Amino acid sequence: MRVAVHYLPIVLIVIVWEAVSRFGIVPTRSLPSLTSVVNAWIELVASGEMLANAAASIWRGGAGLAIAILVGASLGIAMAWWRPLRMLVNPMVEALYPLPKSALIPVTALWLGFGDASKILLIFLACMLPVTLGAFNGARGCEHVMVWSARALGAGRLRVLWDVVVPSALPELLNGIRTALALSFILLVSSELIASRNGLGYLIGSLGEAGVYDAMFAAVLTVAFLGFISDRVFQRFSQWVLRWRA
Amino acid sequence: MIEVEGLSHTYRTPDGRAVSALDNISLTVAEREFVALLGPSGCGKSTLLYLLGGFLPIERGVIRFNSTPITGPGPDRGIVFQHFALFPWKTVRGNVLYGLEKMGLPRADREARAREFIEMVGLSAFADSYPSQLSGGMKQRAAIARTLAVDPGTLLMDEPFGALDAQTRTQMQTELLRIWRRSPKAVVFVTHDVQEAVYLAERIIVMSARPGRIKAIVDAKFDREDPQLVRTQAFRDRVDEVWALVHDNTAEAR
Ligand SMILES: Nc1ncnc2c1ncn2[C@@H]1O[C@H](COP(=O)(O)OP(=O)(O)OP(=O)(O)O)[C@@H](O)[C@H]1O
Ligand SMILES: [Mg+2]
């Protein structure tokens, strides 16, 4: 019930959308009616096109993000723990941070072609930054008395990293991962629009070029929905992981 | 046995200032001795405990622990921190279990021991609560249980009862003495409460204001089994004496 109330504004937009196109206020060329979009969506699913392209996209996004999380989290925590690494990596992070990551799309395409690998590399490179920064800041914020506690209770130096530094870093790390998740969708779709022969981004682009606008909208909505769901699920997961917080 | 010789410590702030916290401290704590550390706020009591714990690098002087200089922290020296330092992502039970896991105790023993100590500090009903769900005094008791459960040979306690109400405090004092008798160990106990120091400790080290130096060492051997102890004249005289020493310290700092 509360969920229904929460998303009421979206229901309103959907109603307005349907009304606007049905009464011809906006030409269906620019905004196809919701019913035709839904029909197009069903057709895309039935033909297997939707699933094939979605699978390709999810694989790329998931793989890129997973590697980014693994490498970024390890790197960030190692940087907090070990000064020389921090001095080596920090300037690179600072230099890369303001770069619009979409500028790398042609670069990774040049290196690795139009297939999965270039997308995975792109998403990995871009998503690693917020994850690394989150892990780094979180680990640096770890109170030293907490580390001392663990040491005095018999934990070895390295063990403390896993037992104390990692959990202390979790709140900021999860925040970084959430940013990375959003970033991965942006880069996934834009790279597939520009340099790909399949995937949801490619589907949107090719349907748009072919003038099949209701199907194009169906693909756009699918991406939006996937982005929304993954963020919600991730938020839930974060809340569960951080259930110890007040 | 703990031997401290000529120990000094200087903190460096990030902007490069040097803060002298301890100056030329020498003391010994015998094998099974209960020592209290008294002194005005900021005189370096916590710092001394951190050095004994092996958490801070020793710059000047030595600390020997059973004749070997200490080089780092270890489970032979348990510590209760002034600000508890519980693991916020673990429940009370999880916190108490942590040290027991590191000891390599079998699971059933760990659980039983954790339960025993959580009960001792009166937190059985909160064993599955996270620290963020506890009051200050409850957190303090959880921290005490966590440290006592591993039964360290030396106990370093930094105002361990500071956040407790008078009644709980008395209870915890009794429990601590009971544990100390049952499993004798060296205890270094920091407190602001003169009466508590005289009641618990066999020897009281009074420190002067920053930089911390040892101002006086007072014997306080009493029969703690005597329920009337705190009302005896000898006890009250000792409290007054120590109080005067501490008070004098505070005046000096102004
Ligand atoms: N990390 C630090 N950096 C700089 N100075 C510090 C640091 N920690 C403590 N000090 C200084 O060292 C001195 C001793 O601090 P310490 O915490 O040992 O005092 P204390 O006797 O435990 O005080 P309290 O009774 O208030 O707990 C203080 O004057 C404090 O300003
Ligand atoms: Mg202190």
Side-chain angles (χ1 to χ4, degrees), chain B residues 42 44-47 50 82-83 158-159 190 192:
Chain B
K45 304 182 294 295
S46 297
T47 306
Y50 296 161
Q82 190 169 1
H83 302 292
D158 200 349
E159 300 187 35
V190 174
H192 274 132

Side-chain angles (χ1 to χ4, degrees), chain B residues 85-153:
Chain B
L86 291 167
F87 305 126
W89 53 88
K90 284 181 183 287
T91 60
V92 170
R93 189 200 314 280
N95 268 280
V96 176
L97 280 171
Y98 185 80
L100 301 171
E101 280 159 18
K102 299 290 166 235
M103 280 169 78
L105 241 51
R107 189 186 191 87
D109 294 2
R110 292 200 302 252
E111 296 286 347
R113 232 181 133 78
R115 208 173 312 120
E116 178 194 334
F117 279 88
I118 291 169
E119 187 178 348
M120 187 202 87
V121 298
L123 286 178
S124 296
F126 296 91
D128 295 315
S129 300
Y130 290 99
S132 63
Q133 299 159 342
L134 304 178
S135 74
M138 289 157 98
K139 282 184 213 165
Q140 189 151 45
R141 283 182 279 154
I144 292 168
R146 178 176 70 173
T147 303
L148 290 181
V150 297
D151 195 23

Side-chain angles (χ1 to χ4, degrees), chain A residues 143 145-157 159-160 163-165 167-168 243-246, chain B residues 50 55-56 73-75 77-79 81 84-89 95 98-99 102 130 132 146-147 150:
Chain A
E143 288 174 56
V145 282
M146 214 89 87
V147 172
W148 294 352
S149 265
R151 296 279 276 134
L153 288 165
R157 232 176 241 289
R159 190 70 217 178
V160 165
D163 285 354
V164 179
V165 180
S168 304
R243 63 193 177 284
W244 45 272
R245 292 215 294 191
Chain B
Y50 296 161
F55 308 122
L56 294 176
R77 281 152 290 144
I79 182 160
F81 288 101
F84 327 135
L86 291 167
F87 305 126
W89 53 88
N95 268 280
Y98 185 80
K102 299 290 166 235
Y130 290 99
S132 63
R146 178 176 70 173
T147 303
V150 297

Side-chain angles (χ1 to χ4, degrees), chain B:
Chain B
M1 171 136 118
I2 306 168
E3 295 164 281
V4 178
E5 265 177 43
L7 186 69
S8 300
H9 192 81
T10 305
Y11 284 107
R12 266 170 223 294
T13 56
D15 55 15
R17 259 179 335 112
V19 182
S20 170
L22 289 176
D23 184 31
N24 199 20
I25 301 279
S26 297
L27 60 97
T28 56
V29 181
E31 193 83 33
R32 301 171 167 199
E33 195 180 17
F34 200 129
V35 168
L37 214 53
L38 272 173
S41 178
C43 75
K45 304 182 294 295
S46 297
T47 306
L48 179 54
L49 238 50
Y50 296 161
L51 286 161
L52 289 172
F55 308 122
L56 294 176
I58 295 170
E59 295 160 345
R60 279 256 296 288
V62 274
I63 302 177
R64 275 188 297 271
F65 191 72
N66 297 329
S67 313
T68 28
I70 62 161
T71 52
D76 51 349
R77 281 152 290 144
I79 182 160
V80 178
F81 288 101
Q82 190 169 1
H83 302 292
F84 327 135
L86 291 167
F87 305 126
W89 53 88
K90 284 181 183 287
T91 60
V92 170
R93 189 200 314 280
N95 268 280
V96 176
L97 280 171
Y98 185 80
L100 301 171
E101 280 159 18
K102 299 290 166 235
M103 280 169 78
L105 241 51
R107 189 186 191 87
D109 294 2
R110 292 200 302 252
E111 296 286 347
R113 232 181 133 78
R115 208 173 312 120
E116 178 194 334
F117 279 88
I118 291 169
E119 187 178 348
M120 187 202 87
V121 298
L123 286 178
S124 296
F126 296 91
D128 295 315
S129 300
Y130 290 99
S132 63
Q133 299 159 342
L134 304 178
S135 74
M138 289 157 98
K139 282 184 213 165
Q140 189 151 45
R141 283 182 279 154
I144 292 168
R146 178 176 70 173
T147 303
L148 290 181
V150 297
D151 195 23
T154 300
L155 256 182
L156 309 169
M157 305 181 92
D158 200 349
E159 300 187 35
F161 305 152
L164 303 182
D165 62 278
Q167 196 191 340
T168 318
R169 196 178 180 119
T170 311
Q171 262 168 24
M172 295 297 299
Q173 288 170 351
T174 314
E175 278 302 334
L176 180 61
L177 284 179
R178 195 177 59 77
I179 285 173
W180 178 62
R181 268 186 226 109
R182 191 179 61 184
S183 148
K185 52 183 95 244
V187 183
V188 181
F189 187 100
V190 174
T191 177
H192 274 132
D193 183 336
V194 175
Q195 158 130 358
E196 178 172 75
V198 178
Y199 176 65
L200 291 175
E202 302 170 288
R203 222 147 44 95
I204 298 163
I205 296 166
V206 181
M207 290 173 68
S208 64
R210 204 163 57 103
R213 295 194 179 97
I214 292 181
K215 162 125 198 174
I217 297 182
V218 182
D219 269 310
K221 281 208 165 72
F222 292 102
D223 175 18
R224 292 182 181 79
E225 312 276 4
D226 176 7
Q228 297 300 317
L229 172 64
V230 294
R231 274 182 281 278
T232 61
Q233 195 55 48
F235 182 86
R236 282 153 73 174
D237 286 348
R238 197 57 51 89
V239 172
D240 288 344
E241 181 193 334
V242 175
W243 194 87
L245 276 167
V246 175
H247 189 75
D248 184 29
N249 258 340
T250 319
E252 217 171 73
R254 287 214 186 96

